[in-house]
């Protein structure tokens, strides 16, 4: 049986785009053309994979035809393709923006290969079914992003990038240690095989699962660092401010979501079935890893929402404001995950359509669905806002709110795009942001958690406050000196408008999106389905790959 | 054109030793590259060794020696910085290496017996009787790509940083 090439197609397309743009480094025009064409082809490959997965269910690809769990498995299930679909869209939109935003010398130096390698890392992280391979894709993604953060090479950029690099190197080292520890404990690196062994350790001769809790905590810290959840958020503002606008858009819109995806995939699919025994700590009950991570996630989420929101309120720079807003919004993504963990531990059910998924708690489905929809919302809206901020900077030479004013008069289309994305962040119906927030509140209500409800409410109010403040100071009023001389770039504005239309369009046509998100959530929670699809067969003498005769 | 002298600021011992050692380094590197798919060695270690050999020549004789005497290239500025022309070549080598390595993975997809898997491998054994057996593995193409990436990448860094 030939493995489905569709699974690996997005990865190959973006990998070859990265390489070809590196080969073509002598001609900027060729490089640009390859970069944009590659981006479009990448979108096509992702769309094809999405359609195939929706039609045929989970698709599995064995690299070099080495059978799972020995070879590296690439798995495209409903969760992966959901993340990949909006990640690739945002990534390519930011790329289109970059072509007209980053100066020519910058583009010639190495922007296009680096950007595409970052997308390679993102794509690989979403698709891999092997925990060590996940580390490799993280590294591919991070190494490119290191250079992209320091791209302008000024003093403040170098400072921000140094912090970012050191932090992530420490994070990578921790991740490697944790993965090594997991391998030593469980005896496998394949996620499906690991899930199977964690669920029934005795059958595989695993004497103790005790180290798994500590190791999963270390891994969790790494993922929280990538996602920028409080208390691991402090690298976010400096890095986003230092990076070129399209890179900030991709970092906030896509790269952060890889951290979220890793949390969902590992903690809800792989680690969830493990029985780690009761932990004798106040406030923790139950015996699965989610029983421990649920409360921790809840506290971190609410801290993120409040800290990000409060810090964003008094920022004087749009980029700064958006960066802190990202911290707060990630809290909104993590909050329903905490509730989902609670749902699994306590077996809370939820009304249809979330309660219809057989074998898992309805609240868990609702929570993960909310996290996915909110990720989509944040990916679209925040990248639109970062790109709008970049376009404003390009047109006026500043992104400081005290020097801007009256932009709505001089750059109405760009301001419109900013406005739509901003109210998408706030959550006004019928935009996608409304449904994201609605699902978060719904999950909190079903869980009956006043704490979560109160945190989300406070966060929503803070969001309205900082968005209104940015709008009032930057876009309304009489045009200031710098705004008067504004000349916006049409292509830049067009990209912002496309993303703003997506924020509206996804909200208006929400039913298929919700359906895809529920399927994604069901896939994330269906450990047995994941194991069956990958089918890590260790019973036969499978020490060599099938085709490696 | 008068013949320019290179490496006047280094000792006779260093220059002589380099002359003797560098061919050995390069031959060892190539041997490691060729056996890498089957025995200890491979593209990465061969690339590092080659880059180390070049670095030795750079230190003892200077980059201009390699650039002007061996490759007949001038020092030309790039991006307003006085970078050796070789740096651009190394960059091209790096990119080419990536292409070869990734291409080796894709080509494998067209061999039916690898099940159309990316990075699948195939090997051929030619038995040229009675002289020798020639063993060719498709993994060599990947190794070669890695070799080019490592040599290109390391030497680009050495030459750019060395020029500054």
């Amino acid at each position: 049986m030939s493995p489905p090439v569709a699974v690996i197609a997005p990865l190959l397309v973006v990998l070859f785009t990265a390489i070809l743009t590196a080969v073509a480094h002598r001609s900027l025009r060729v490089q640009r053309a390859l970069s944009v064409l590659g981006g479009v082809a990448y979108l096509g490959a992702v769309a094809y994979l999405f359609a195939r997965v929706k039609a045929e269910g989970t698709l599995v690809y064995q690299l070099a035809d080495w059978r799972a769990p020995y070879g590296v498995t690439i798995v495209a299930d409903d969760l992966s393709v959901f993340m990949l679909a909006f990640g690739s869209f945002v990534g390519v939109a930011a790329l289109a923006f970059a072509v007209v935003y980053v100066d020519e010398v910058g583009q010639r130096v190495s922007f296009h290969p680096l950007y595409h390698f970052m997308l390679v890392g993102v794509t690989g992280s979403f698709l891999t079914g092997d925990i060590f391979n996940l580390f490799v894709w993280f590294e591919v993604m991070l190494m490119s992003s290191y250079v992209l953060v320091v791209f302008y090479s000024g003093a403040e950029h170098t400072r921000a990038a140094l912090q970012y690099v050191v932090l992530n190197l420490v994070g990578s080292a921790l991740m490697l240690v944790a993965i090594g520890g997991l391998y030593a404990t469980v005896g496998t690196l394949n996620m499906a095989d690991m899930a199977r062994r964690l669920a029934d350790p005795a059958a595989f001769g695993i004497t103790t699962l005790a180290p798994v809790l500590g190791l999963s905590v270390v891994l969790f810290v790494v993922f929280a660092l990538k996602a920028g959840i409080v208390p691991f958020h402090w690298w976010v503002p400096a890095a986003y401010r230092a990076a070129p606008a399209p890179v900030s858009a991709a970092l906030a819109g896509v790269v952060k979501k890889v951290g979220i995806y890793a949390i969902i995939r590992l903690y809800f699919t792989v680690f969830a079935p493990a029985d780690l025994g009761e932990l004798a700590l106040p406030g923790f009950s139950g015996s699965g890893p989610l029983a421990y991570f649920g409360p921790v996630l809840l506290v971190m989420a609410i801290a993120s929402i409040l800290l990000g929101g409060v810090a964003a309120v008094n920022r004087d720079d749009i980029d700064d404001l958006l960066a802190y807003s990202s911290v707060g919004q990630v809290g909104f993504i993590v909050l329903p995950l905490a509730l989902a963990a609670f749902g699994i531990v306590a077996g809370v059910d939820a009304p249809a359509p979330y309660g219809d998924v057989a074998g898992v708690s309805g609240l868990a489905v609702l929570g993960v669905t909310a996290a996915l929809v909110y990720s989509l919302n944040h990916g679209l809206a925040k990248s639109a806002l970062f790109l709008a901020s970049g376009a404003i900077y390009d047109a006026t030479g500043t992104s400081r709110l005290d020097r801007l004013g009256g932009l709505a008069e001089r750059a109405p289309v760009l301001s419109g795009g900013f406005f739509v994305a901003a109210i998408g962040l706030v959550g006004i119906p019928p935009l996608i942001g409304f449904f994201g927030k609605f699902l978060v509140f719904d999950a909190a209500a079903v869980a009956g958690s006043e704490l979560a409800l109160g945190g989300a409410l406070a966060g929503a109010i803070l969001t309205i406050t900082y968005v209104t403040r940015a709008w009032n100071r930057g876009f309304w009023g009489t045009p200031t000196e710098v705004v008067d001389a504004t000349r916006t770039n049409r292509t830049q504005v067009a990209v912002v408008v496309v993303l703003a239309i997506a924020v509206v369009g996804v909200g208006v046509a929400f039913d298929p999106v919700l359906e895809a998100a529920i399927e994604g959530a069901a896939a994330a929670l269906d450990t047995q389905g994941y194991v069956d699809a990958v089918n890590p067969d260790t019973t036969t003498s499978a020490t060599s790959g099938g085709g490696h005769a | 054109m008068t013949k320019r002298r290179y490496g006047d600021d280094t000792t006779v011992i260093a220059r002589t030793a380099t002359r003797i050692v560098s061919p050995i380094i390069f031959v060892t590197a190539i041997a490691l590259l060729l056996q890498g798919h089957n025995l200890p060695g491979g593209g990465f270690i061969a690339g590092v060794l080659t880059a180390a050999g070049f670095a030795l020549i750079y230190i003892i004789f200077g980059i201009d020696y390699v650039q002007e005497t061996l490759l007949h290239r001038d020092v030309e500025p790039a991006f307003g910085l006085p970078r050796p022309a070789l740096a651009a070549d190394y960059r091209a080598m790096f990119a080419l290496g990536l292409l070869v390595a990734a291409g080796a993975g894709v080509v494998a997809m067209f061999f039916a017996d690898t099940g159309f898997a990316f990075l699948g491998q195939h090997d051929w054994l030619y038995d040229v009787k009675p002289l020798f057996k020639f063993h060719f593995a498709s993994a060599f193409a990947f190794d070669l790509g890695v070799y080019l990436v490592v040599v290109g990448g390391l030497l680009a860094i050495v030459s750019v940083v060395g020029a500054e």
Side-chain angles (χ1 to χ4, degrees), chain A residues 79-113:
Chain A
L79 175 66
S80 303
V81 293
F82 184 87
M83 302 299 282
L84 197 54
F86 83 81
S88 60
F89 178 71
V90 171
V92 173
L95 173 70
F97 187 88
V99 168
V100 286
Y101 180 81
V102 178
D103 58 50
E104 290 203 353
V105 173
Q107 289 195 42
R108 278 199 63 179
V109 170
S110 51
F111 181 84
H112 291 289

Side-chain angles (χ1 to χ4, degrees), chain A residues 119-397:
Chain A
L119 290 183
V120 172
V122 170
T123 314
S125 306
F126 283 153
L127 288 177
T128 186
D130 184 286
I131 196 165
F132 181 75
N133 200 231
L134 181 72
F135 168 76
V136 174
W137 292 125
F138 263 68
E139 284 302 297
V140 170
M141 181 175 84
L142 287 171
M143 283 189 189
S144 327
S145 72
Y146 296 156
V147 188
L148 289 171
V149 167
V150 76
F151 202 73
Y152 288 139
S153 316
E156 73 271 36
H157 310 115
T158 311
R159 187 177 158 275
L162 194 65
Q163 195 185 25
Y164 180 70
V165 170
V166 170
L167 197 62
N168 278 302
L169 282 180
V170 173
S172 298
L174 282 177
M175 187 172 174
L176 199 55
V177 168
I179 290 172
L182 277 174
Y183 183 61
T185 313
V186 187
T188 185
L189 290 169
N190 185 288
M191 289 185 198
D193 197 25
M194 189 177 280
R196 197 171 61 140
R197 286 162 180 250
L198 285 172
D200 188 9
F204 296 93
I206 300 166
T207 45
T208 173
L209 284 182
V212 171
L213 179 62
L215 295 167
S216 62
V217 169
V218 175
L219 268 186
F220 180 76
V221 169
V222 177
F223 298 145
L225 187 74
K226 312 288 188 226
I229 311 170
V230 170
F232 306 104
H233 65 286
W234 30 271
W235 59 272
V236 172
Y240 285 12
R241 203 167 46 225
V247 174
S248 306
L251 286 176
V254 187
V255 174
K256 262 194 168 188
K257 306 302 181 293
V258 176
I260 302 289
Y261 167 80
I263 290 175
I264 299 178
R265 173 60 85 212
L266 284 181
Y267 293 85
F268 286 85
T269 312
V270 178
F271 297 150
D275 184 351
L276 302 177
E278 291 281 343
L279 189 68
L281 280 177
F284 295 82
S285 62
S287 59
L290 287 174
Y292 310 135
F293 283 105
V296 175
L297 272 173
L298 186 68
V299 171
M300 287 170 72
I302 291 175
S304 291
I305 290 175
L306 296 180
L307 197 141
V310 169
V313 167
N314 73 338
R315 294 294 122 180
D316 290 324
D317 187 284
I318 300 182
D319 283 342
D320 236 6
L321 182 146
L322 294 176
Y324 277 105
S325 153
S326 280
V327 175
Q329 299 294 316
V330 165
F332 271 105
I333 298 173
V334 177
L335 185 64
L337 287 180
L339 299 168
F342 172 69
I344 289 180
V345 174
V348 183
D349 215 1
Y354 316 108
D356 294 347
V357 182
V360 279
S361 120
L363 177 58
V365 178
L366 172 59
V368 178
T369 304
L372 292 180
V373 171
Y374 211 97
S375 297
L376 166 66
N377 167 47
H378 182 247
L380 292 174
K382 188 52 61 68
S383 53
L385 290 172
F386 266 117
L387 294 181
S389 159
I392 292 169
Y393 184 81
D394 211 27
T396 62

